[in-house]
Amino acid sequence: MDRKKKRVSDAQLSTIMKTWLLVIPALIAIMGIVTFTGVWLSSQSKSSVSIYGQINSIDRSLLNDIRGSFRNTYLQFLQAKVDPGADAERVEQLSKRLDELALQEGEIIRKYDPSYVTSRSSTLETLLEILADVPYPIVFTISLVVGIFIFVIIRYTALFIISRRYTSSSDYVKEV
């Protein structure tokens, strides 16, 4: 299923390369940066953040301790699930501990927001919660790195596609 290369002039090839190797990867990278930053900003504006401001200092420190324990336990739980040598009893203990911590967190938050429903966080929610605690400069640096990474991937993919589909009319070597 090999396609014949399309023969184009040097000017056309130059235009195609500029478009596909610079403009399109740059636009996709900018969209990636905006998406990453938007996800971070939306994780900042959760309703629990506004409730968090109403919580008194004793409950706030207790809530921080519970959340820290939850993160540590969750990491241990993931490690135990991935480890082929881990026993099922350990995984079950960690799962019960996570449920207990979620219930404790729910009890504290329910004091300030009676409509709060306790549910176990998904991996994405836990990741967004961790991401919400990251300072602005670090997030923007991560966004920039993600954008550059996307730009490089798209650029080399486009270069590969162009080299497979097009050839310049001046690329032919004369036989002597």
Side-chain angles (χ1 to χ4, degrees):
M1 191 167 164
D2 210 14
R3 286 184 161 180
K4 281 190 168 185
K5 287 187 174 183
K6 188 175 182 181
R7 195 181 300 181
V8 293
S9 70
D10 288 337
Q12 288 174 325
L13 187 61
S14 174
T15 303
I16 290 170
M17 289 187 78
K18 283 179 187 173
T19 302
W20 282 97
L21 296 180
L22 184 63
V23 175
I24 292 175
L27 290 175
I28 293 173
I30 289 169
M31 287 188 298
I33 290 171
V34 168
T35 302
F36 183 82
T37 307
V39 166
W40 180 74
L41 289 173
S42 70
S43 71
Q44 289 285 346
S45 64
K46 294 191 309 189
S47 62
S48 64
V49 173
S50 63
I51 293 169
Y52 192 75
Q54 300 171 1
I55 298 174
N56 67 30
S57 62
I58 296 170
D59 284 341
R60 184 176 297 138
S61 67
L62 184 60
L63 195 58
N64 286 336
D65 291 341
I66 291 171
R67 287 180 176 168
S69 296
F70 186 87
R71 286 182 186 138
N72 291 334
T73 307
Y74 189 69
L75 289 174
Q76 291 173 6
F77 174 74
L78 290 177
Q79 186 178 17
K81 282 198 82 131
V82 172
D83 186 18
D87 59 351
E89 185 178 319
R90 173 78 174 143
V91 173
E92 185 63 30
Q93 287 175 345
L94 289 170
S95 178
K96 286 180 182 177
R97 179 69 180 141
L98 287 172
D99 291 338
E100 290 171 10
L101 290 170
L103 286 173
Q104 289 174 357
E105 179 186 29
E107 289 172 5
I108 293 172
I109 294 177
R110 230 178 274 113
K111 287 181 191 176
Y112 302 94
D113 182 13
S115 65
Y116 179 78
V117 177
T118 304
S119 64
R120 192 172 201 183
S121 299
S122 68
T123 306
L124 181 61
E125 289 172 335
T126 305
L127 179 66
L128 287 176
E129 195 173 295
I130 292 169
L131 190 62
D133 295 335
V134 175
Y136 288 108
I138 293 173
V139 169
F140 294 129
T141 303
I142 292 171
S143 293
L144 189 61
V145 168
V146 166
I148 291 170
F149 180 71
I150 290 171
F151 179 84
V152 168
I153 295 282
I154 299 297
R155 182 177 170 91
Y156 283 107
T157 303
L159 183 62
F160 177 74
I161 291 170
I162 289 171
S163 69
R164 300 285 262 163
R165 291 194 70 181
Y166 299 104
T167 184
S168 175
S169 57
S170 66
D171 282 349
Y172 293 103
V173 179
K174 294 182 183 178
E175 274 188 46
V176 179

